[in-house]
Amino acid sequence: MTATIPNLPSLYDPFSTEAKWQKFWEDNQVYKADPNKGGEPYCIVIPPPNVTGSLHMGHAFESALIDTLVRYHRMQGRNTLWLPGTDHASIAVHSMLEKQLKKEGKTRYELGREKFLERAWQWKAESEGTILNQLRRLGVSVDWSRERFTLDEGLSKAVVEAFTRLYEEGLIYRGEYLVNWCPASQSAVSDVEVENQEVNGNLWHFRYPLTDGSGFVEVATTRPETMLGDTAVAVNPNDDRYKHLIGKTLTLPILQREIPIIGDEFVDPTFGTGCVKVTPAHDPNDFDMGKRHNLPLINIMNKDGTLNANAGEFQGQDRFVARKNVVSRLEADGFLVKIEDYKHTVPYSDRGKVPIEPLLSTQWFVKIRPLADNTLEFLDQQTSPEFVPQRWTKVYRDWLVKLKDWCISRQLWWGHQIPAWYAISETDGQITDNTPFVVAKSETEAWEKAKLQFGENVKLEQDPDVLDTWFSSGLWPFSTLGWPEQTQDLATYYPTTTLVTGFDIIFFWVARMTMMAGHFTQQMPFQTVYIHGLVLDEKGQKMSKTKGNGIDPLLLIDKYGTDALRYTLIREVAGAGQDIRLEYDRKKDESASVEASRNFANKLWNAARFVMMNLDGQTPQQLGNPVATELSDRWIISRYHQVIKQTTNYIDNYGLGEAAKGLYEFIWGDFCDQYIELVKSRLQADADPVSRRVAQQTLGYILEGILKLLHPLMPHITEEIWQTLTQQPADSPQTLPLQIYPQVDANLIDPALEEQFELLIATIRTIRNLRAEADIKPGVKVTANLQTESEKEREILTAGQSYIKDLAKVEILTITDKQENQTVTAKKPQRGLKIIGLILVAIVFARLGLAAGNAIDDIPIVGTFFELVGFGYTAWFVSQNLLTAQARLRLWGRFFPQKELEQPQESENAIAGVIGTIQVLIPLSGVVDIEAVRAKLEKSLSKVEAEVQSLSTRLNNPSFVDRARADVVQGARDALAEAQKQAEILRDRLKGLM
């Protein structure tokens, strides 16, 4: 009975295949982690995407990197958990909802907190579903049963626990300090949520008159409106120009407030006039100076960016309107000295996209130094966590050293409401800066505490503010595993193994997590932090919404498939932490690099189809492992184990791009283009049964290994092929993600054999290239001569001559020694006859010489002379004709000229090429139309030379070089270099037609 031969469809359809396996993996909980399973744990918690967002290329890149690591370690037998989840993104969601309300003519206060939060949860449900479904399309191998959200019940419990503990330990306090204020979102923002932008502004110079009428001082500022809040002017106490003025007072223009002149070493005497206006309520440096000199703090600004009553006549004006009006008033009053153009850096709110205002505000703060210093001890004493690349360690450390107290309260409603309750009955029913409060884990506990402190009639109101999103995100690695409860997940998977994230989030998130974890768990939350780069656009620029140069990953997935995009993103990584550039044609929405990866998938698919059609319906397991005897079998098995070793080493050391490239070269080059071609003749029905069996075993063995090696990078196509190759039952199939990753067998690696085979492959490739250059039709067999002085190379070429003939379509192959000009394949019987003939001739000449010598010897004096001449001639003859092989060959040729022993001469009807020290010669007579080939090459050369001339003229034109955009000029230079290279190649080919 003939075995049923399983086979794949003729064309690979990534879209149906990927959707099928994504559903299968999730429905069957293939990636569900089991803490009871045992084995070394490997855990990654997902960097939670915001629920407001949709999948962008950064998500796709990061998810592909993480999934590759997770799938690899799962197949290595580790107890693996990749935990998914999302972040509530308080400022982003809040801003989005307020914009919606504004369009409806409403405010959040009119809507009320409860209704506002209902809207927020509704938005979360819609948006979160979008981004999670998009992550599913990437084929991420997460444990969906453990999905978390930063506002879910368990994580909210962890946030309250962390806040109350820190407060009870004296590490959280409430106080009035200068904070970064975003007028757009009307909330405080942290330092890491501020983006500094360089702008073209102005520097205004004003005169402040001395109160005693003895003169004035000149100050300069980029924010004239803040002068309304000035409470001093500072000079350096060592500045001889002004130190005599310290202690005197000035009269503040417009408001006529008397302010002192103070001495402070913070002032740089070389900057500006050396006099600095001091506005403690509106500048961080002035705030510190104000504390040192006990200056009053006068806040002139409302939370919406308008000026308040302290601004006098400018009350109610927007800050930027007030700026113009203040300048006009100062000019009218004669206090404006000059206005200079001034380029400087302005801090912008990352969320509100408007300049922030340093604003005096009562907020909640974390005392950061104890947490940061504890984290620094882990780093300095235990090198924990370890950063990859290592250079980011210094950046991380420097940040920890410079950290100031962390403002954690936000004037928003979407988020974790601060677990503090104010006794408003103590301050006339209002929450003021001085209202007493209690911190508790629940409202019930707050009432119990408040009654004990303020009596039964106390009235409580919870703090309306919410916590900074990064406070809850800082707990993510352990709160998602059940902390503060001592869960089995926490015991098994914490600390997590690896954090994969971008360098731009080290300050936002990584440092927050390490500080929180170090304090609450006495461990760093992850062993390794793998910092990846950015995905740059086709011009090498950072993608951003502002530039509008983003690339939608779903568009590329829809066009080329998920595996193609994933593989492209990983393969482009040139080293850990490096940015990658993605080729993209915006007019066509196409990517040549992703298309190349799709072609790679098709190549694998077609190779797998060929292999399965030649296994007689047997699986690799049924065929058994090969015992290789033939050269090609031993070579591919050696290469396979070398690739296992190489890939494992790369991934273990975060060289994911290098691993992807190595697999590509092995699969496409060694397996598909070389080995499969080499064994085709052995798979024929009339081939030697033993050789055929070994070829089948090797094909099945290598193909299944390839699928396992490639699976972490391209999970869908490898699963589809593996299911068919191994003939898994439809009702209860095993699945590739749970198979064991290939293990290297060092005994099967033969570097010398690989080196030898590389020589054969290079030779075959060169012959093929020469055939293509000469337009030799694929079906036409040629004569080829290989010349090398290396005996070792000749041995390798001779051993593999059958492969050269088969794959390069060579009918007559000769392998010659250049130095001796002697054909290695000369027939030995002919050589023997020629040697005998040479000996006979030598004997005849010797006899004649002796007879002549005897006759001459009888003549007096003459005989002695001839003896001397004969001795000298003999010495000369031997040195010229017998000492070297080449000399002997010339002597031989004088008497026995043999065409078959001579080096084939390069004629005008031949084409030549070189591989290292091997020269390849292919006669073209009778094979191709020489003149047609020459004409074609000359036509191509003429076209390229015209292009070279045109580009050279363009680049020699100063007008073009000076006026054109830099990228256009560089493009022309690149095109010229390429054209010159093509011209050189074409000239060499013409010379080759000798």
Side-chain angles (χ1 to χ4, degrees):
M1 181 177 179
T2 304
T4 301
I5 298 178
N7 202 3
L8 299 166
S10 58
L11 296 175
Y12 174 54
D13 176 13
F15 312 109
S16 61
T17 298
E18 289 168 357
K20 175 179 70 175
W21 289 114
Q22 287 161 9
K23 185 176 187 303
F24 175 87
W25 293 328
E26 187 169 346
D27 289 350
N28 290 274
Q29 294 190 317
V30 170
Y31 308 123
K32 184 175 177 62
D34 180 4
N36 297 311
K37 177 184 176 183
E40 182 183 1
Y42 185 87
C43 178
I44 290 181
V45 291
I46 197 171
N50 293 339
V51 290
T52 56
S54 60
L55 191 69
H56 57 67
M57 197 58 75
H59 288 131
F61 180 42
E62 187 169 83
S63 296
L65 292 171
I66 297 175
D67 198 48
T68 298
L69 290 171
V70 170
R71 287 181 182 274
Y72 167 78
H73 285 286
R74 185 184 290 114
M75 294 180 75
Q76 288 285 4
R78 299 181 72 173
N79 189 344
T80 304
L81 167 63
W82 183 7
L83 190 147
T86 49
D87 187 271
H88 63 279
S90 58
I91 293 179
V93 172
H94 192 98
S95 299
M96 181 273 302
L97 290 176
E98 287 208 313
K99 287 178 182 176
Q100 287 183 358
L101 290 172
K102 188 175 181 179
K103 289 181 180 179
E104 299 171 14
K106 301 176 183 177
T107 68
R108 61 166 159 148
Y109 300 103
E110 293 172 344
L111 190 65
R113 186 172 192 131
E114 185 176 346
K115 294 292 184 182
F116 182 86
L117 291 179
E118 284 180 7
R119 278 201 176 199
W121 279 104
Q122 181 181 355
W123 168 261
K124 178 261 179 186
E126 296 171 359
S127 183
E128 181 184 49
T130 299
I131 196 163
L132 290 181
N133 286 332
Q134 290 172 341
L135 284 173
R136 283 179 166 91
R137 288 207 61 188
L138 284 171
V140 293
S141 59
V142 300
D143 181 352
W144 290 108
S145 70
R146 284 175 165 82
E147 180 188 338
R148 305 305 299 266
F149 175 56
T150 47
L151 283 181
D152 70 29
E153 184 178 352
L155 269 62
S156 295
K157 180 180 179 181
V159 168
V160 171
E161 179 72 21
F163 185 96
T164 54
R165 280 199 203 178
L166 290 171
Y167 177 77
E168 290 166 0
E169 294 167 3
L171 295 175
I172 282 183
Y173 63 94
R174 187 171 184 256
E176 187 181 47
Y177 284 88
L178 206 64
V179 299
N180 299 312
W181 187 264
C182 173
S185 60
Q186 294 193 36
S187 174
V189 294
S190 69
D191 290 339
V192 293
E193 293 169 308
V194 172
E195 179 184 359
N196 290 312
Q197 298 182 18
E198 191 173 61
V199 300
N200 293 316
N202 296 107
L203 189 65
W204 288 269
H205 291 252
F206 305 122
R207 291 190 182 100
Y208 285 10
L210 289 161
T211 306
D212 61 10
S214 61
F216 60 86
V217 297
E218 184 179 323
V219 299
T221 180
T222 58
R223 299 159 67 212
E225 70 281 5
T226 62
M227 61 84 59
L228 301 170
D230 285 358
T231 57
V233 167
V235 298
N236 192 295
N238 300 313
D239 191 337
D240 292 335
R241 293 173 296 171
Y242 304 115
K243 62 183 179 182
H244 67 285
L245 297 177
I246 296 173
K248 291 190 175 186
T249 62
L250 301 163
T251 300
L252 184 68
I254 301 177
L255 295 179
Q256 301 299 305
R257 185 166 60 242
E258 191 172 352
I259 61 175
I261 298 175
I262 62 174
D264 195 292
E265 291 187 350
F266 173 79
V267 179
D268 180 1
T270 65
F271 179 76
T273 65
C275 296
V276 178
K277 61 187 285 297
V278 183
T279 318
H282 293 282
D283 184 273
N285 295 321
D286 292 2
F287 179 78
D288 292 337
M289 205 182 308
K291 287 195 294 183
R292 289 195 292 271
H293 296 273
N294 296 314
L295 298 175
L297 292 90
I298 301 176
N299 175 28
I300 63 165
M301 197 165 294
N302 296 314
K303 292 181 178 179
D304 63 355
T306 60
L307 272 57
N308 61 24
N310 290 330
E313 64 187 80
F314 306 100
Q315 181 180 359
Q317 296 180 9
D318 178 79
R319 54 182 170 158
F320 298 116
V321 173
R323 176 174 297 177
K324 295 179 181 178
N325 293 335
V326 166
V327 171
S328 296
R329 172 67 187 276
L330 289 169
E331 183 178 21
D333 291 349
F335 295 113
L336 177 64
V337 178
K338 61 180 178 179
I339 304 174
E340 296 178 318
D341 291 335
Y342 187 65
K343 181 176 286 188
H344 62 121
T345 299
V346 175
Y348 275 70
S349 167
D350 186 57
R351 293 295 184 186
K353 306 303 179 187
V354 297
I356 63 107
E357 281 294 334
L359 189 69
L360 196 64
S361 178
T362 300
Q363 302 286 345
W364 290 90
F365 294 85
V366 172
K367 289 183 180 178
I368 211 68
R369 282 274 39 100
L371 301 181
D373 290 343
N374 182 43
T375 306
L376 283 168
E377 285 187 23
F378 279 99
L379 183 65
D380 294 340
Q381 296 178 14
Q382 303 177 31
T383 316
S384 180
E386 182 180 354
F387 279 79
V388 178
Q390 192 176 6
R391 66 177 181 273
W392 289 108
T393 305
K394 184 180 186 303
V395 176
Y396 166 74
R397 191 185 191 287
D398 289 347
W399 177 258
L400 289 173
V401 169
K402 297 174 183 176
L403 276 178
K404 296 180 180 180
D405 285 1
W406 174 17
C407 176
I408 56 172
S409 48
R410 299 289 182 267
Q411 287 62 57
L412 308 169
W413 286 351
W414 174 243
H416 293 99
Q417 194 169 354
I418 292 174
W421 282 260
Y422 295 92
I424 57 174
S425 52
E426 304 297 306
T427 51
D428 298 325
Q430 300 292 322
I431 297 177
T432 70
D433 292 349
N434 299 315
T435 303
F437 59 85
V438 293
V439 170
K441 294 180 181 178
S442 65
E443 187 174 3
T444 301
E445 182 183 328
W447 278 106
E448 293 173 356
K449 287 184 175 182
K451 287 177 182 178
L452 289 174
Q453 189 172 348
F454 305 107
E456 290 292 330
N457 295 324
V458 67
K459 292 183 179 179
L460 293 181
E461 184 177 329
Q462 189 173 358
D463 194 318
D465 293 349
V466 299
L467 288 167
D468 175 17
T469 301
W470 300 107
F471 188 91
S472 55
S473 296
L475 309 175
W476 184 256
F478 48 97
S479 63
T480 52
L481 295 172
W483 186 90
E485 304 299 327
Q486 294 303 308
T487 64
Q488 197 167 1
D489 274 3
L490 190 66
T492 302
Y493 299 112
Y494 186 82
T496 65
T497 314
T498 308
L499 172 70
V500 179
T501 189
F503 64 83
D504 53 342
I505 210 168
I506 291 177
F507 317 126
F508 284 89
W509 192 38
V510 179
R512 304 285 190 232
M513 289 189 286
T514 55
M515 288 189 293
M516 291 291 208
H519 184 77
F520 290 117
T521 72
Q522 290 74 53
Q523 298 181 83
M524 288 295 94
F526 21 73
Q527 298 167 17
T528 304
V529 181
Y530 171 42
I531 300 293
H532 62 73
L534 301 175
V535 183
L536 306 178
D537 70 5
E538 66 278 11
K539 296 180 180 178
Q541 297 178 345
K542 179 180 178 181
M543 296 185 195
S544 70
K545 291 181 180 178
T546 305
K547 293 180 181 178
N549 63 337
I551 301 173
D552 184 358
L554 294 178
L555 189 151
L556 294 178
I557 287 174
D558 289 339
K559 187 178 290 286
Y560 303 110
T562 296
D563 282 350
L565 177 63
R566 283 174 54 127
Y567 181 78
T568 301
L569 293 173
I570 295 171
R571 188 186 177 193
E572 291 299 315
V573 181
Q578 297 301 308
D579 293 341
I580 68 170
R581 181 172 174 173
L582 187 62
E583 292 182 66
Y584 190 62
D585 184 334
R586 293 185 182 274
K587 293 181 180 179
K588 299 180 180 179
D589 286 327
E590 294 177 350
S591 171
S593 54
V594 184
E595 183 177 2
S597 296
R598 185 202 56 192
N599 294 341
F600 175 47
N602 290 336
K603 182 81 169 181
L604 175 63
W605 183 265
N606 291 330
R609 290 186 72 244
F610 172 82
V611 170
M612 281 185 264
M613 286 189 293
N614 286 280
L615 296 186
D616 298 336
Q618 299 180 84
T619 67
Q621 290 70 31
Q622 292 168 338
L623 287 165
N625 290 343
V627 179
T629 54
E630 293 201 20
L631 187 67
S632 59
D633 300 332
R634 291 191 291 113
W635 167 73
I636 195 66
I637 291 172
S638 177
R639 285 289 303 124
Y640 167 63
H641 281 274
Q642 191 76 264
V643 167
I644 296 173
K645 180 181 178 181
Q646 170 185 295
T647 306
T648 302
N649 181 64
Y650 277 138
I651 299 180
D652 284 343
N653 292 283
Y654 299 95
L656 305 186
E658 291 83 353
K661 294 182 190 75
L663 287 172
Y664 179 95
E665 291 166 2
F666 173 71
I667 295 168
W668 189 300
D670 295 341
F671 184 65
C672 296
D673 282 355
Q674 304 302 334
Y675 183 72
I676 287 181
E677 293 300 318
L678 288 170
V679 298
K680 279 184 177 178
S681 61
R682 294 165 57 193
L683 296 171
Q684 301 301 317
D686 57 352
D688 176 68
V690 174
S691 177
R692 185 171 186 271
R693 179 75 174 182
V694 173
Q696 289 176 321
Q697 290 173 328
T698 306
L699 285 169
Y701 172 72
I702 300 296
L703 177 58
E704 184 174 14
I706 282 171
L707 298 174
K708 292 177 179 179
L709 287 171
L710 190 60
H711 177 75
L713 292 94
M714 303 180 81
H716 305 90
I717 187 173
T718 51
E719 176 78 281
E720 179 75 7
I721 295 172
W722 185 83
Q723 290 285 332
T724 306
L725 176 67
T726 58
Q727 300 179 39
Q728 294 298 314
D731 53 346
S732 59
Q734 295 184 45
T735 184
L736 182 54
L738 301 182
Q739 302 305 302
I740 296 299
Y741 202 74
Q743 303 298 304
V744 65
D745 185 343
N747 294 322
L748 296 176
I749 298 177
D750 187 341
L753 173 63
E754 291 183 33
E755 184 180 352
Q756 294 171 15
F757 222 86
E758 282 301 312
L759 181 65
L760 292 176
I761 291 172
T763 302
I764 292 167
R765 188 181 301 117
T766 300
I767 296 174
R768 285 175 165 178
N769 290 341
L770 291 173
R771 290 176 60 105
E773 289 177 22
D775 282 340
I776 300 173
K777 295 179 180 179
V780 175
K781 290 194 173 184
V782 299
T783 296
N785 179 251
L786 310 178
Q787 305 169 4
T788 175
E789 297 176 2
S790 169
E791 184 178 352
K792 181 180 178 181
E793 288 181 342
R794 293 197 302 273
E795 290 174 354
I796 294 169
L797 294 171
T798 301
Q801 59 185 323
S802 61
Y803 300 133
I804 298 172
K805 287 183 174 182
D806 286 347
L807 297 187
K809 298 288 178 28
V810 175
E811 184 173 14
I812 301 173
L813 178 68
T814 56
I815 303 166
T816 64
D817 181 341
K818 270 186 180 179
Q819 185 176 3
E820 296 188 5
N821 200 27
Q822 181 177 350
T823 303
V824 173
T825 54
K827 297 179 180 180
K828 291 182 180 179
Q830 291 179 332
R831 178 179 296 175
L833 290 173
K834 291 171 182 176
I835 291 172
I836 293 170
L838 183 61
I839 292 172
L840 291 173
V841 170
I843 292 172
V844 170
F845 272 93
R847 295 291 295 176
L848 290 173
L850 284 172
N854 288 333
I856 293 171
D857 191 45
D858 293 335
I859 303 173
I861 301 175
V862 176
T864 303
F865 172 78
F866 272 93
E867 284 181 356
L868 293 173
V869 171
F871 179 82
Y873 179 80
T874 301
W876 174 83
F877 183 89
V878 170
S879 66
Q880 293 296 311
N881 297 285
L882 299 178
L883 286 182
T884 67
Q886 205 165 9
R888 291 192 297 272
L889 192 61
R890 282 198 305 270
L891 178 63
W892 177 272
R894 293 173 192 163
F895 298 100
F896 301 97
Q898 296 290 335
K899 291 183 180 180
E900 65 183 38
L901 292 180
E902 292 176 354
Q903 172 70 22
Q905 297 300 307
E906 298 176 358
S907 69
E908 58 178 312
N909 296 329
I911 190 167
V914 175
I915 322 107
T917 61
I918 301 172
Q919 186 175 27
V920 180
L921 186 71
I922 300 178
L924 298 180
S925 296
V927 178
V928 295
D929 185 340
I930 303 296
E931 291 307 316
V933 173
R934 182 178 286 108
K936 181 180 178 181
L937 291 174
E938 287 174 345
K939 183 178 180 181
S940 298
L941 177 60
S942 178
K943 184 178 179 181
V944 173
E945 285 177 336
E947 184 179 359
V948 169
Q949 180 63 38
S950 173
L951 289 167
S952 297
T953 302
R954 195 177 181 192
L955 288 168
N956 288 328
N957 182 352
S959 178
F960 167 73
V961 175
D962 295 338
R963 295 180 183 179
R965 292 199 321 267
D967 61 320
V968 174
V969 175
Q970 186 58 48
R973 287 177 178 146
D974 293 343
L976 175 60
E978 180 62 27
Q980 289 171 332
K981 184 177 179 181
Q982 289 179 6
E984 183 180 351
I985 292 171
L986 289 169
R987 291 189 193 100
D988 288 342
R989 288 180 181 175
L990 278 168
K991 289 178 182 177
L993 290 177
M994 298 165 291

